[in-house]
Amino acid sequence: MKTAESPTKTSECLPPDQWISRQPSGTRDLDFQQIRERQSTTWNAALDADVDVTEGGRPDLFLVSVDDDCPVNCSLAEHPNGTHAGWCSCEVFQATTVCPHLCVLRQYAALGDLCLPMRDQT
């Protein structure tokens, strides 16, 4: 069973030199603690979904499939303050900036099943 948002502010599984400075155009800042509280339907849908996550060619890129839907491209990285920067190619993200795909990635990272890079603030 997956757990809710991890209280840990940084990813324990990353070497300190795994930083990225750029993400896809349209990347948004995300606070998953607030998402879990204010958009619990999306957060819980990700918890209950049958998912498949494949790592991409960069540390922030992933291919995510939720409940056997077509896979979508996602980018997720962590800011030093514990919030995140994310982007997804799905229509839900384009309309609302919060989608189950990015929630899945955050949940996997909270459980230690996925390592996210740190996002350079420059």
Short mmCIF file of all heavy atoms in Angstrom, two decimals, residues 4 8 10 14-15 18 22 37 47 57 60 63 66 71 73-74 89 91 96 98 103-104 118 120:
data_model
loop_
_atom_site.label_atom_id
_atom_site.label_comp_id
_atom_site.label_asym_id
_atom_site.label_seq_id
_atom_site.Cartn_x
_atom_site.Cartn_y
_atom_site.Cartn_z
N ALA A 4 0.85 8.42 2.04
CA ALA A 4 0.61 9.80 1.63
C ALA A 4 1.93 10.54 1.50
O ALA A 4 2.99 9.95 1.56
CB ALA A 4 -0.30 10.47 2.64
N THR A 8 9.62 14.00 4.53
CA THR A 8 11.01 14.27 4.19
C THR A 8 11.08 15.34 3.11
O THR A 8 10.40 15.25 2.11
CB THR A 8 11.70 12.98 3.69
OG1 THR A 8 11.53 11.98 4.68
CG2 THR A 8 13.16 13.22 3.43
N THR A 10 13.84 16.27 1.29
CA THR A 10 14.74 16.01 0.18
C THR A 10 14.75 14.54 -0.15
O THR A 10 14.42 13.70 0.69
CB THR A 10 16.18 16.47 0.50
OG1 THR A 10 16.62 15.76 1.65
CG2 THR A 10 16.26 17.96 0.73
N LEU A 14 19.34 10.19 -3.94
CA LEU A 14 20.10 10.83 -5.00
C LEU A 14 21.50 11.22 -4.55
O LEU A 14 21.68 11.75 -3.47
CB LEU A 14 19.40 12.10 -5.47
CG LEU A 14 18.11 11.90 -6.21
CD1 LEU A 14 17.52 13.23 -6.59
CD2 LEU A 14 18.32 11.06 -7.44
N PRO A 15 22.47 11.02 -5.42
CA PRO A 15 23.77 11.60 -5.12
C PRO A 15 23.66 13.12 -5.22
O PRO A 15 22.85 13.63 -5.99
CB PRO A 15 24.68 11.03 -6.21
CG PRO A 15 23.77 10.58 -7.30
CD PRO A 15 22.44 10.28 -6.67
N GLN A 18 23.39 15.14 -8.72
CA GLN A 18 22.36 14.92 -9.73
C GLN A 18 21.38 16.09 -9.72
O GLN A 18 20.36 16.07 -9.06
CB GLN A 18 21.62 13.61 -9.48
CG GLN A 18 20.76 13.24 -10.66
CD GLN A 18 20.52 11.75 -10.71
OE1 GLN A 18 20.84 11.01 -9.80
NE2 GLN A 18 19.94 11.29 -11.79
N ARG A 22 17.22 22.60 -16.52
CA ARG A 22 16.13 22.89 -17.46
C ARG A 22 15.14 21.73 -17.50
O ARG A 22 15.52 20.58 -17.39
CB ARG A 22 16.70 23.09 -18.85
CG ARG A 22 17.68 24.25 -18.92
CD ARG A 22 18.15 24.42 -20.31
NE ARG A 22 17.00 24.85 -21.10
CZ ARG A 22 17.00 25.85 -21.94
NH1 ARG A 22 18.09 26.50 -22.16
NH2 ARG A 22 15.93 26.19 -22.61
N GLU A 37 -3.89 17.83 -0.03
CA GLU A 37 -4.95 18.38 0.81
C GLU A 37 -6.08 19.00 -0.01
O GLU A 37 -7.25 18.82 0.31
CB GLU A 37 -4.37 19.42 1.76
CG GLU A 37 -3.42 18.83 2.78
CD GLU A 37 -2.65 19.87 3.56
OE1 GLU A 37 -2.88 21.09 3.37
OE2 GLU A 37 -1.77 19.47 4.36
N LEU A 47 -3.09 7.08 -6.16
CA LEU A 47 -2.83 6.03 -5.17
C LEU A 47 -3.47 4.71 -5.56
O LEU A 47 -2.88 3.65 -5.36
CB LEU A 47 -3.36 6.44 -3.79
CG LEU A 47 -2.53 7.42 -2.98
CD1 LEU A 47 -3.31 7.84 -1.74
CD2 LEU A 47 -1.20 6.81 -2.58
N GLY A 57 15.46 9.34 -20.79
CA GLY A 57 16.87 9.55 -21.10
C GLY A 57 17.56 10.57 -20.22
O GLY A 57 18.77 10.73 -20.31
N ASP A 60 15.09 13.57 -15.00
CA ASP A 60 13.78 14.14 -14.70
C ASP A 60 12.67 13.61 -15.61
O ASP A 60 11.50 13.91 -15.40
CB ASP A 60 13.80 15.66 -14.81
CG ASP A 60 14.05 16.14 -16.23
OD1 ASP A 60 15.07 15.70 -16.82
OD2 ASP A 60 13.25 16.93 -16.75
N LEU A 63 8.11 8.07 -18.51
CA LEU A 63 6.94 7.68 -19.29
C LEU A 63 6.00 7.01 -18.29
O LEU A 63 6.38 6.02 -17.65
CB LEU A 63 7.34 6.72 -20.40
CG LEU A 63 6.31 6.44 -21.48
CD1 LEU A 63 5.95 7.71 -22.23
CD2 LEU A 63 6.85 5.39 -22.44
N VAL A 66 -1.24 5.19 -16.58
CA VAL A 66 -2.16 5.03 -15.45
C VAL A 66 -3.37 4.24 -15.94
O VAL A 66 -4.03 4.63 -16.91
CB VAL A 66 -2.59 6.40 -14.88
CG1 VAL A 66 -3.65 6.24 -13.82
CG2 VAL A 66 -1.39 7.15 -14.32
N PRO A 71 0.53 5.82 -22.48
CA PRO A 71 1.57 6.46 -21.66
C PRO A 71 1.75 7.92 -22.05
O PRO A 71 1.55 8.30 -23.20
CB PRO A 71 2.83 5.66 -21.99
CG PRO A 71 2.39 4.45 -22.72
CD PRO A 71 1.04 4.73 -23.29
N ASN A 73 4.34 11.52 -21.39
CA ASN A 73 5.67 12.00 -21.00
C ASN A 73 5.54 12.95 -19.82
O ASN A 73 4.68 13.83 -19.81
CB ASN A 73 6.32 12.74 -22.17
CG ASN A 73 6.61 11.80 -23.31
OD1 ASN A 73 7.34 10.85 -23.17
ND2 ASN A 73 6.00 12.07 -24.46
N CYS A 74 6.41 12.75 -18.83
CA CYS A 74 6.41 13.59 -17.64
C CYS A 74 7.82 14.01 -17.29
O CYS A 74 8.78 13.29 -17.58
CB CYS A 74 5.83 12.83 -16.44
SG CYS A 74 4.13 12.32 -16.60
N SER A 89 2.58 15.76 -20.41
CA SER A 89 2.00 15.97 -21.74
C SER A 89 0.51 15.67 -21.78
O SER A 89 -0.12 15.87 -22.82
CB SER A 89 2.73 15.09 -22.76
OG SER A 89 2.54 13.71 -22.48
N GLU A 91 -3.64 15.97 -21.17
CA GLU A 91 -4.61 17.07 -21.26
C GLU A 91 -4.99 17.61 -19.89
O GLU A 91 -5.25 18.80 -19.74
CB GLU A 91 -5.85 16.60 -22.01
CG GLU A 91 -5.60 16.32 -23.47
CD GLU A 91 -6.83 15.80 -24.20
OE1 GLU A 91 -7.94 15.80 -23.61
OE2 GLU A 91 -6.68 15.38 -25.35
N THR A 96 -5.19 21.93 -15.87
CA THR A 96 -5.25 22.22 -14.44
C THR A 96 -3.90 22.31 -13.75
O THR A 96 -3.85 22.71 -12.59
CB THR A 96 -6.07 21.14 -13.70
OG1 THR A 96 -5.34 19.90 -13.76
CG2 THR A 96 -7.45 20.97 -14.30
N VAL A 98 -2.29 19.96 -12.49
CA VAL A 98 -2.17 18.84 -11.56
C VAL A 98 -2.79 17.62 -12.23
O VAL A 98 -3.92 17.69 -12.72
CB VAL A 98 -2.90 19.12 -10.23
CG1 VAL A 98 -2.84 17.91 -9.32
CG2 VAL A 98 -2.33 20.34 -9.55
N CYS A 103 1.37 12.96 -9.76
CA CYS A 103 1.13 12.46 -8.40
C CYS A 103 1.73 11.07 -8.23
O CYS A 103 2.33 10.76 -7.19
CB CYS A 103 -0.36 12.45 -8.09
SG CYS A 103 -1.09 14.10 -7.90
N VAL A 104 1.60 10.22 -9.25
CA VAL A 104 2.21 8.88 -9.21
C VAL A 104 3.71 9.00 -9.02
O VAL A 104 4.30 8.31 -8.18
CB VAL A 104 1.89 8.08 -10.50
CG1 VAL A 104 2.85 6.92 -10.69
CG2 VAL A 104 0.46 7.60 -10.50
N MET A 118 17.44 17.04 -8.34
CA MET A 118 17.20 18.35 -7.76
C MET A 118 17.17 19.37 -8.89
O MET A 118 17.91 19.25 -9.86
CB MET A 118 18.28 18.72 -6.76
CG MET A 118 18.33 17.78 -5.55
SD MET A 118 16.81 17.78 -4.57
CE MET A 118 17.00 19.32 -3.70
N ASP A 120 17.93 23.02 -10.22
CA ASP A 120 18.75 24.20 -9.98
C ASP A 120 17.86 25.43 -10.08
O ASP A 120 17.08 25.56 -11.02
CB ASP A 120 19.86 24.25 -11.03
CG ASP A 120 20.89 25.33 -10.75
OD1 ASP A 120 20.75 26.06 -9.77
OD2 ASP A 120 21.83 25.42 -11.55
#
